[in-house]
């Protein structure tokens, strides 16, 4: 079984109503409970993410994947709520979005193969959660729209 399939097997995809996401309050901690991280992909691209580490070791992970044309900041206070429930949370900017913009990648110019390649962004983000101490079989994902 290839590595991408292994990561995909560990993911639980959950759909979330956009109205619920939009209703989350912005965190007012000034970023004290989060930190920016850089995530390398197998294709040589680099993703940016915001990590909200759980306060307990070996926590389950939660990956937040935004909609097309959006960014990791769309989640408002939702990552903090997950963190408070004991999850290590990672809100990621897919390639061509937010802080993961490259000189030659902009989501507005993506073709079908570019969009399909975003699955490797998700795999790289899951690997980052494992590096942060989450077990690969204990990572769930929440997506907004395309995410």
């Amino acid at each position: 079984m290839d590595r991408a399939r292994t990561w995909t097997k560990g993911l639980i995809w959950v759909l979330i109503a956009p109205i619920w996401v939009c209703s989350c309050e912005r965190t007012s901690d000034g970023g004290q409970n989060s930190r920016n991280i850089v995530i390398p992909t197998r294709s040589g691209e680099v993703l940016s993410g915001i990590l909200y580490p759980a306060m307990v070791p070996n926590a389950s992970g939660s990956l937040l994947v935004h909609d097309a044309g959006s960014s990791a900041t769309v989640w408002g206070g939702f990552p903090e709520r997950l963190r408070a429930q004991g999850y290590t949370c990672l809100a990621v900017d897919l390639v061509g979005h937010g802080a993961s913009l490259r000189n030659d990648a902009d989501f507005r110019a993506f073709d079908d193969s570019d969009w399909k390649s975003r699955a490797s962004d998700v795999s790289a983000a899951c690997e980052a959660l494992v590096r942060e101490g989450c077990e690969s079989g204990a990572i769930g994902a929440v997506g907004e729209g395309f995410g």
Side-chain angles (χ1 to χ4, degrees), residues 10-21:
L11 290 176
I12 300 171
W13 291 97
V14 179
L15 297 176
I16 187 168
I19 189 85
W20 184 53
V21 172

Side-chain angles (χ1 to χ4, degrees), residues 9 25 37 43-44 59 65 96 99-101 112 117 121 128:
K9 184 178 176 185
E25 299 173 16
I37 65 170
S43 63
V65 185
S100 294
L101 286 172
D112 286 342
S117 295
D121 294 356

